[in-house]
Amino acid sequence: MISISRTCLRGIYSCHWNGQTRDRNRPCCWLSFLSFVSILALSWMYVCFIAFNDHNDVNWQAFKTLKKWVNWYMIVMVVSAVLATYCLLLLVFGLLHLAIREPLDLHWLHKVFLFLGLLIVTLGTAGFCKEWMEEWKTVYMSFQATAPFLQLGAVVALTLISWLVFQSYHTAQTAACKVFIMMTFLVVSAAVFLCPLAICSPCITNNLPPKPALVGHRGAPMLAPENTMMSFRKSMECGVVAFETDVQLSKDMKPFLMHDNGPSFLLRTTDVKEKFPGRDADMHTNFTLQELQTLNAGEWFVRTDPFESVSSLSKEEKREADNQTVPTLSELLVMAKKHNVSLIFDLKNEKNSTGFHNSDSYYTAETIKKSGILPDQIWWLPPEYRHDVRKVTPGFKQVYNNVQEMYADGGSFLNMKYSSLRAHEISELRKNNVSVNLWGVNERWLFSLLWCSGASSVTTNACHILKSMSKPDWHLEPNMYKGIWISVDVISLLLMFGLFLWQRRRNHVFRQNLSERSVPLLSL
């Protein structure tokens, strides 16, 4: 059985099933390279997992370039997962070779795949740095949530590989080599065991802030086509306090709801190619409201399944989604007024205006006034004609996307991307009675972190997921975490000490058996 196991290990790692090896040049260098690529692949997989919160932005940017909707991010995730799994399994086989003292001989095909993996990770990292630099802030933020648990995982990993380190120590031929191995291991161990002293996580606290309220980003776009009446109705079922949407003006100056703007603004979410051949690249000013409302704004959702969520819908819901149209701002205001839900929106083309009375702000404010909705249900975000709007409709809640501008204008409501503020900044703003709404929050880990930080509300695509959370996923009381940290470190140290003694005894027996075999040979 042992012989078969050795053969399998040798065959997988070096493809030498007959027990013969052909090339033993620098085997330890290749094992080091394998370890390096494995760490990079695992780190890249972590980055992809964390950045999944914004995966729809990647797909949307790709659509703007290619004019075709494909879930590119999921492809990247699958490739990254396969690469990380392959590298880690190969590393495990390599370490097992060391454990049973089998000669290392990495097959050339594995070497090619490792270089290919290194190239993929390098290109992915370069792409992040060039096109998506802001996402590194998200990765940094994630450590505030995951660092305590990554440290525990690192302790477990260190404990598992310690027996290989101790084996290398006991088989080292020189005292200098022994000192180097042990000192390196002790330094790494000390860093891993003591790093909780430097970890600062808002989720390690005794005073948990209230759960942030939810704002439906374009409604509930994971459950229905974005910016449709079905989507906003679905978000109400999640208990959102406000609808977030995007407002544009038609050719006849009627406000309608649509996120994409500029040329081809209808291409992604409507059947404009079929209904108006040759006009799919037109601007919003080329379509009347009547023309816009003849478009189907839901079939694309069922067909492309942008969030991999259509399968969770019933047949009736799919049929309803398949027949959505482009809604007007007036329709949404009626719903918001009836159900006492607030409204926050972007004006997608405001910068093109030549004056307040010709602006999107003016026509939007007039539509809101005519709806009869309570003014304080409107969270006014567009900054271009803020003071003009305030004169016309003084009751709107003024919302700002810049801290300095808010304080200069005497405001107390901030709306920013989740990565724009650090935990202590959110806490400080809340102490000053500033409402903080953070947008782009779609994953549980991120919502948990912002909950612990004290955010007032978050704008999300995933209201149906976040509404069910009764507490943050990463929350620990300081004394509990300290107890877990110390207990795990102590257990790890005891296991390492036991492994050190066992390896010393094992090496002693191995040397003794070797010397006993050599005595008869010498006598002959």
Side-chain angles (χ1 to χ4, degrees):
M1 182 63 72
I2 294 175
S3 176
I4 293 174
S5 299
R6 284 176 175 268
T7 301
C8 288
L9 281 174
R10 190 189 310 117
I12 293 172
Y13 190 80
S14 62
C15 294
H16 298 153
W17 299 93
N18 58 6
Q20 298 177 355
T21 58
R22 292 169 295 180
D23 179 17
R24 297 187 184 180
N25 292 328
R26 298 181 290 277
C28 290
C29 291
W30 281 110
L31 183 64
S32 300
F33 181 68
L34 170 59
S35 303
F36 173 69
V37 175
S38 298
I39 292 171
L40 285 183
L42 197 60
S43 301
W44 173 246
M45 187 66 214
Y46 176 84
V47 170
C48 290
F49 170 76
I50 293 301
F52 188 78
N53 179 81
D54 300 318
H55 76 279
N56 201 51
D57 295 343
V58 176
N59 294 334
W60 182 61
Q61 290 295 334
F63 175 84
K64 288 202 299 184
T65 302
L66 304 174
K67 305 302 181 186
K68 183 176 178 62
W69 184 269
V70 177
N71 196 341
W72 295 106
Y73 198 89
M74 187 56 66
I75 296 173
V76 172
M77 285 282 288
V78 170
V79 171
S80 302
V82 170
L83 174 62
T85 303
Y86 166 75
C87 290
L88 288 174
L89 285 176
L90 196 60
L91 180 61
V92 168
F93 286 124
L95 294 176
L96 287 174
H97 269 65
L98 282 180
I100 62 176
R101 300 180 181 179
E102 184 74 23
L104 293 168
D105 184 15
L106 188 64
H107 192 264
W108 67 267
L109 191 59
H110 288 315
K111 296 174 184 178
V112 171
F113 285 148
L114 287 177
F115 275 110
L116 183 61
L118 181 60
L119 179 63
I120 290 172
V121 173
T122 303
L123 290 175
T125 304
F128 257 66
C129 292
K130 183 179 179 181
E131 303 293 342
W132 217 18
M133 193 67 183
E134 198 169 290
E135 204 62 27
W136 291 114
K137 294 181 182 178
T138 307
V139 176
Y140 171 78
M141 284 181 66
S142 73
F143 290 124
Q144 296 180 53
T146 61
F149 304 93
L150 291 175
Q151 187 267 341
L152 298 177
V155 171
V156 173
L158 193 65
T159 305
L160 291 174
I161 66 171
S162 65
W163 62 290
L164 286 173
V165 175
F166 298 147
Q167 177 180 294
S168 300
Y169 171 81
H170 289 301
T171 56
Q173 299 300 313
T174 64
C177 190
K178 286 177 179 284
V179 170
F180 175 77
I181 292 172
M182 191 52 67
M183 288 302 298
T184 302
F185 182 71
L186 289 175
V187 169
V188 172
S189 298
V192 171
F193 287 145
L194 299 178
C195 70
L197 295 173
I199 291 174
C200 182
S201 171
C203 284
I204 300 178
T205 178
N206 287 319
N207 302 311
L208 185 65
K211 181 179 179 178
L214 301 179
V215 176
H217 182 235
R218 307 177 205 168
M222 296 179 74
L223 303 177
E226 65 179 58
N227 276 333
T228 62
M229 297 310 293
M230 178 184 178
S231 185
F232 293 114
R233 178 174 56 77
K234 284 286 186 181
S235 71
M236 280 198 307
E237 296 173 7
C238 300
V240 298
V241 298
F243 300 135
E244 189 278 341
T245 188
D246 309 278
V247 178
Q248 302 187 54
L249 294 186
S250 63
K251 183 178 181 179
D252 47 348
M253 310 307 284
K254 303 293 184 183
F256 67 95
L257 309 183
M258 180 69 60
H259 172 265
D260 297 6
N261 65 314
S264 304
F265 77 106
L266 294 170
L267 188 60
R268 180 174 66 92
T269 59
T270 74
D271 59 346
V272 65
K273 271 191 170 184
E274 290 74 29
K275 290 284 175 60
F276 299 103
R279 296 180 62 188
D280 54 283
D282 284 3
M283 300 281 288
H284 65 102
T285 52
N286 296 118
F287 290 91
T288 65
L289 182 61
Q290 185 177 5
E291 288 176 322
L292 290 168
Q293 292 193 305
T294 64
L295 297 171
N296 183 303
E299 184 274 334
W300 74 276
F301 174 79
V302 179
R303 174 171 44 84
T304 62
D305 195 7
F307 293 97
E308 309 287 333
S309 58
V310 171
S311 60
S312 66
L313 303 181
S314 66
K315 288 184 179 179
E316 291 75 17
E317 289 172 325
K318 290 178 184 177
R319 194 177 302 114
E320 182 184 2
D322 206 27
N323 289 286
Q324 292 298 295
T325 57
V326 177
T328 64
L329 176 61
S330 297
E331 290 176 272
L332 185 58
L333 287 166
V334 170
M335 179 183 284
K337 179 182 176 182
K338 180 179 179 180
H339 297 281
N340 195 32
V341 178
S342 296
L343 182 64
I344 183 172
F345 51 85
D346 288 310
L347 295 176
K348 305 301 291 187
N349 306 291
E350 186 65 292
K351 293 181 180 179
N352 301 326
S353 302
T354 57
F356 176 58
H357 289 285
N358 295 317
S359 69
D360 289 25
S361 291
Y362 175 76
Y363 287 100
T364 301
E366 288 296 312
T367 302
I368 293 171
K369 282 174 62 179
K370 291 175 183 177
S371 72
I373 192 172
L374 293 175
D376 64 356
Q377 285 182 246
I378 302 301
W379 299 357
W380 187 270
L381 179 62
E384 284 80 9
Y385 296 101
R386 184 186 302 279
H387 297 292
D388 295 293
V389 169
R390 185 181 284 165
K391 292 175 184 177
V392 176
T393 50
F396 292 172
K397 285 185 179 178
Q398 297 298 319
V399 183
Y400 302 81
N401 55 20
N402 181 281
V403 177
Q404 289 72 28
E405 181 187 345
M406 179 191 69
Y407 281 132
D409 206 32
S412 60
F413 202 144
L414 200 60
N415 179 71
M416 299 182 73
K417 187 173 182 179
Y418 66 84
S419 57
S420 300
L421 295 172
R422 297 190 177 185
H424 71 274
E425 293 174 322
I426 296 172
S427 179
E428 195 63 32
L429 286 164
R430 296 296 292 125
K431 288 178 183 176
N432 294 331
N433 294 319
V434 174
S435 297
V436 179
N437 180 68
L438 299 170
W439 53 271
V441 181
N442 303 312
E443 292 295 309
R444 290 176 63 104
W445 73 265
L446 182 55
F447 182 66
S448 297
L449 180 62
L450 298 176
W451 183 343
C452 296
S453 301
S456 314
S457 57
V458 300
T459 302
T460 179
N461 292 332
C463 63
H464 63 298
I465 296 173
L466 305 186
K467 74 168 184 178
S468 61
M469 293 177 62
S470 58
K471 62 179 181 179
D473 288 342
W474 308 96
H475 177 242
L476 283 174
E477 294 183 356
N479 289 336
M480 179 182 290
Y481 175 61
K482 191 179 295 183
I484 294 172
W485 162 39
I486 294 174
S487 299
V488 170
D489 282 7
V490 169
I491 293 171
S492 176
L493 285 170
L494 291 174
L495 288 172
M496 285 182 181
F497 183 68
L499 287 169
F500 179 83
L501 295 178
W502 177 71
Q503 282 285 11
R504 186 173 68 173
R505 177 170 177 76
R506 182 169 177 259
N507 188 65
H508 175 72
V509 171
F510 177 79
R511 288 177 181 275
Q512 193 174 34
N513 291 338
L514 198 64
S515 62
E516 288 175 358
R517 290 174 187 171
S518 63
V519 169
L521 293 173
L522 289 172
S523 63
L524 289 173

